[in-house]
Every structure is written in structure tokens, then in C-alpha cells.
Amino acid sequence: MLLRLLLLCALASGSASFAAPATRRPSRAVHAAPPPRRALLACSTASAPPSGFVQTEMRGAAMKLHTRDQSREGEQKAQKPVSQWEPGREDYLRFLVDSRLVYGCFEELVATHDELAAYRDSGLERAAALDADIAWFAEQGLETPEPGKYGRDYEALLRKLAEEGKWEAFTCHFYNYYFAHTAGGRMIGKQMADKLLDGRTLEFYQWGGVDPKEELLPKLRAKIDAVAAEWTREQKDACLNETANSFRYGGGMLAYLRSPQQ
């Protein structure tokens, strides 16, 4: 069975070359059936195992905190599905305002601390996009609220980490927050657009035609991996140990959408 799978991999990649034995009479060409899709998936998975600190250790720590409906690897109980959330436009705007505060804080700290210089100009920055979206809501007649408790609490935590020089913990928040927006956050944005905005895609969910998961996140992971390669085991653990906090504070702002009465 293993040999058969290896042959299928070779055929799928075009790397195998088999010569038919010489015969004295011509024979019709025989076209081999394409390998089963399952075998192709097995080949691609086997050839590209996860590597680097972000995709192995940081991802492993994060998967334990995902719910079972978010990932097959999740270990937490499933929560109320996004399709059942019923916020109003005002609730959505509150979420965007708090998100603007947090993204602005991330981007300010990265720009002003040399210890975070590697994370600059990632292409994932969202503060300007959120400025545009909040202005659009104002054009629709919605008054822009002040940032709420969830955003203010998260901003305070990030500034405290920077003041104390806890760059490993900050890195955990930085990556997980931006990654969450490109993953589940986009799905939430689609649901909110359909429910509240007649399908309008906000600037928050656009990256100038670039796919963030395919182009921007891999580059950011490479930068974080390069930084983490210089860390001691204790520093790496300090980053991993902040995972629960990154989920708590980042996910907390979804209360505006999941439970609008709060």
C-alpha cells in the first residue's frame, strides 16, 4: 500500500519517469487514470510539514483554546454560532470603534519601539481602513461612540506589556490578533455585511486586492520566526504562556456582536 501511494505521488508531481519495455510491434498509448484526490492530498501534506516557531509552538498553543466548531483540533466547547448573532448597526459600530483603538495601539507601539521594528510595514495594518469605515457609518447617520470597556482594557494591557519590555508576550498578542482577523474575522465580517449592510464589504476586510493569508501572513510569520530564533527557551515560553490572554482580550470585543445587550 505504501509503495502504491509513493508511486501515485510521483505520478502526480511528474517526477517519475517510466520507460516501457521495447517491443517489435507498436502498441496504442495507454493513459493512466489520474491518482485519487485523497492520495494527492496525502502527498502534498507529507511534503510540507509545519515548521518554524509560529506554525508549530504558537499554533499548537492556540489550537488548544479554539472551540470544536472553529477547528477540528479545538479542545473547547462550541459556542453560539455566528449565524445566530443578532447585533444592530450600532453594536457593529461599537465593535469597529474598539477594534480601531486596539489596532491603532498595536501600530503605534510597533512604530515607536525598536524592539518591534521587524513587525513594521507588514501590510496587515488595519487602523486606516477602520478610520474609513467608521467615517462611512457617520455618513449613514450613526453617531460615533467613544471606545468601550473591551477596547480600553486591551489597549491598557498592550501598553503595559510595552512599558515593561515584555516583547515576547506582546508578540503573542500581535500575531494572534492579526491572524484572527484574517481567518474567522473575515467570516464574521461577511455575516455582518449580509445581516446589516446589504452585503457591503467594509475596508476593514480588504487588503488592496492582496490575499492576507496567502501573501501577508507567511511573510509576517517568517519575521517572527527570525526573531524567535534568537530567543531562549524561557522567552519562547513567555510568548506561549500569553496565548490565553490574547484570546481573552481579543475575543472579548466580540461581545458587542454576540451579546449586544452587554
Side-chain angles (χ1 to χ4, degrees):
M1 184 64 185
L2 177 59
L3 176 59
R4 181 183 178 189
L5 181 59
L6 291 173
L7 288 173
L8 287 171
C9 289
L11 288 170
S13 63
S15 60
S17 176
F18 296 93
T23 58
R24 294 185 179 180
R25 56 183 181 180
S27 60
R28 292 183 300 172
V30 178
H31 299 284
R37 183 172 181 272
R38 183 171 60 183
L40 290 173
L41 290 174
C43 297
S44 61
T45 301
S47 62
S51 62
F53 179 68
V54 176
Q55 287 290 71
T56 55
E57 297 193 52
M58 286 185 69
R59 183 180 183 277
M63 284 298 105
K64 294 178 181 179
L65 299 176
H66 277 71
T67 61
R68 293 165 191 158
D69 58 322
Q70 292 173 328
S71 170
R72 289 178 298 177
E73 301 171 65
E75 297 182 7
Q76 308 302 314
K77 292 182 180 180
Q79 299 178 355
K80 183 179 179 181
V82 177
S83 59
Q84 295 179 17
W85 295 1
E86 296 295 340
R89 277 193 169 196
E90 294 80 1
D91 304 305
Y92 192 26
L93 179 55
R94 291 173 67 199
F95 166 75
L96 296 175
V97 167
D98 276 32
S99 296
R100 170 60 180 85
L101 181 67
V102 173
Y103 278 108
C105 181
F106 271 120
E107 292 164 25
E108 176 195 332
L109 294 174
V110 166
T112 56
H113 289 275
D114 290 340
E115 295 87 348
L116 303 172
Y119 307 155
R120 294 171 188 167
D121 302 319
S122 68
L124 292 163
E125 293 81 9
R126 295 288 85 200
L130 282 161
D131 282 341
D133 291 330
I134 292 168
W136 178 81
F137 273 88
E139 293 172 1
Q140 309 309 303
L142 273 71
E143 182 179 352
T144 303
E146 293 296 320
K149 170 181 170 53
Y150 301 110
R152 293 197 311 269
D153 286 352
Y154 203 178
E155 180 197 28
L157 173 67
L158 295 175
R159 293 193 182 281
K160 185 172 185 291
L161 293 176
E163 288 170 5
E164 297 176 354
K166 295 182 177 179
W167 307 120
E168 300 84 9
F170 181 92
T171 296
C172 180
H173 285 273
F174 179 79
Y175 179 76
N176 284 335
Y177 195 69
Y178 279 88
F179 174 81
H181 175 62
T182 66
R186 295 165 82 184
M187 180 268 291
I188 292 171
K190 179 65 168 62
Q191 291 276 350
M192 295 301 104
D194 292 341
K195 285 177 179 284
L196 303 172
L197 308 178
D198 297 323
R200 177 187 177 89
T201 301
L202 296 178
E203 292 294 324
F204 189 32
Y205 304 100
Q206 302 181 58
W207 289 263
V210 175
D211 187 324
K213 292 192 72 175
E214 295 297 326
E215 298 185 44
L216 302 179
L217 276 171
K219 293 178 181 178
L220 178 59
R221 283 196 291 265
K223 292 179 179 180
I224 295 176
D225 283 341
V227 171
E230 304 297 323
W231 287 348
T232 64
R233 183 67 258 172
E234 289 76 14
Q235 288 175 300
K236 291 179 180 178
D237 289 342
C239 176
L240 300 177
N241 291 340
E242 194 68 15
T243 305
N245 255 351
S246 74
F247 274 59
R248 175 190 168 197
Y249 282 85
M253 291 192 297
L254 292 175
Y256 290 125
L257 308 179
R258 183 176 56 245
S259 307
Q261 70 277 8
Q262 295 184 6

